[in-house]
Amino acid sequence: VQMARYLGCSVVGVASSAKKLLVERLGAHHVDYAEFLNQSVNQSIEVTREVAREIIGPVDAIVDAAGGDSLRILAGLAPEGEIRSAADPALASELGGRGIQRRRTREVFAELADLVAAGAVTPVINNQFSFDHAADAVKDVETGHSLGKTVVRL
């Protein structure tokens, strides 16, 4: 969200109501996925996609971190080929997009550090653990419901 905002994009964050304040604090317009995703249990993907289109409207691109049915539903909101997914590259490809390839290089980390130093992006820290409690940190991350990064202090 922060990188997209830094690049001048308007951002819609589809997330649970529990993440509303975080999504808005990061600069995105929050849409509670329960408004349309929970309807997919009783409706087809196409019907649910139409509900999402009414709530969100068309978008220029989708950057996905959830995959599965949520990506399948939201894919119809973006133009052909404008889907990227970190969570489900195979589905993104099936839908005409592609996966996100992470570049973990010294140059990329230096760029990111410069953006943090300049205040353009701010790391969101959810929890901190001492090294003695690293196993608890792993459990925290594995819940999949974190509202930010988990830090292990040495």
Side-chain angles (χ1 to χ4, degrees), residues 30-80:
H30 175 261
V31 172
D32 188 340
Y33 68 77
E35 292 184 43
F36 57 89
L37 291 181
N38 290 341
Q39 296 181 31
S40 66
V41 172
N42 299 318
Q43 298 180 43
S44 71
I45 295 288
E46 278 304 314
V47 169
T48 306
R49 184 177 291 153
E50 286 306 313
V51 173
R53 188 182 316 277
E54 290 172 18
I55 294 169
I56 299 171
V59 298
D60 294 322
I62 292 173
V63 178
D64 169 65
D69 280 347
S70 63
L71 177 57
R72 197 177 306 283
I73 290 164
L74 296 172
L77 304 182
E80 178 76 25

Side-chain angles (χ1 to χ4, degrees), residues 1 3-11 27:
V1 170
M3 292 300 295
R5 295 287 300 145
Y6 173 75
L7 295 171
C9 300
S10 296
V11 180

